[in-house]
């Protein structure tokens, strides 16, 4: 029997509206496995749950007034989760089929990965990607500079 004392140094904790539905989404979209959940008696609310996605612990709970707020209540999020997968196209299709909203379909990126991004039904952003090739920092910097010049021309005063 596990006591759940072995945690990595950094564990994301997601706050959502509808944690029970979110758990089912993460199972369908990302193959999450549920370690456990603590429910609030007499309600459908999840006070705390833990999932495993590719060996990584993810904590999850419903909003709790005065303590935690979901991206839906905030009307956005400043955080994006990057999930390394064997096949970005297949993972993206699976997540969209499970209810995710596409932001950008999978495409080859300048930093050597194939990546697609989506928003889950609970307002969290996810990048799903797999490595295509090794890219040096100098090569990434040059590609970044080229991209910035193309999409963000200098402002004239």
């Amino acid at each position: 029997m596990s006591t759940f004392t072995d945690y990595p140094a950094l564990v994301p904790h997601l706050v959502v509206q509808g944690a029970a539905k979110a758990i089912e989404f993460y199972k369908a979209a990302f193959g999450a496995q549920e370690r456990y959940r603590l429910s609030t008696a007499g309600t459908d609310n999840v006070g705390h749950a833990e999932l495993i996605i590719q060996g990584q612990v993810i904590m999850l709970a419903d909003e709790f007034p005065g303590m935690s707020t979901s991206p839906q209540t905030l009307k956005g999020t400043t955080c994006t989760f990057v999930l390394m997968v064997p096949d970005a196209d297949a993972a993206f299709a699976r997540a969209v089929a499970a209810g995710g909203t596409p932001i950008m379909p999978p495409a080859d990126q300048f930093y050597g990965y194939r990546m697609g991004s989506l928003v889950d039904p609970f307002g969290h952003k996810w990048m799903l990607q797999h490595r295509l090739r090794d890219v040096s920092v100098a090569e990434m910097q040059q590609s970044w500079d080229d991209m910035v010049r193309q999409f963000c021309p200098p402002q004239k005063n």
Side-chain angles (χ1 to χ4, degrees):
M1 183 168 114
S2 176
T3 59
F4 304 109
T5 58
D6 296 326
Y7 289 97
L10 180 64
V11 178
H13 182 274
L14 309 182
V15 176
V16 298
Q17 292 178 6
K21 289 180 182 177
I23 291 168
E24 295 311 311
F25 171 80
Y26 296 133
K27 287 178 180 178
F30 306 134
Q33 297 173 326
E34 185 175 340
R35 283 193 351 173
Y36 71 94
R37 78 173 77 178
L38 306 175
S39 298
T40 304
T43 73
D44 293 332
N45 289 347
V46 175
H48 181 80
E50 292 186 8
L51 307 176
I52 304 290
I53 299 176
Q54 294 187 26
Q56 174 62 50
V57 176
I58 304 285
M59 295 177 178
L60 176 80
D62 274 299
E63 283 187 313
F64 192 82
M67 290 184 60
S68 58
T69 310
S70 76
Q72 291 166 314
T73 297
L74 294 172
K75 300 193 182 346
T77 181
T78 61
C79 179
T80 300
F81 295 96
V82 179
L83 183 60
M84 301 299 174
V85 296
D87 180 337
D89 294 274
F92 183 83
R94 179 179 174 180
V96 169
T101 301
I103 296 172
M104 184 177 91
D108 295 354
Q109 303 299 317
F110 71 90
Y111 53 89
Y113 283 73
R114 184 161 180 84
M115 184 276 296
S117 62
L118 59 101
V119 175
D120 70 31
F122 310 94
H124 293 282
K125 293 180 183 178
W126 294 82
M127 291 171 52
L128 309 176
Q129 62 183 18
H130 69 262
R131 188 170 73 74
L132 297 171
R133 63 185 180 90
D134 290 331
V135 178
S136 71
V137 173
E139 188 179 354
M140 279 192 282
Q141 184 65 60
Q142 183 60 54
S143 295
W144 177 260
D145 292 344
D146 293 344
M147 185 177 67
V148 169
R149 276 192 295 279
Q150 179 182 358
F151 295 107
C152 305
Q155 301 291 322
K156 295 184 181 186
N157 295 332

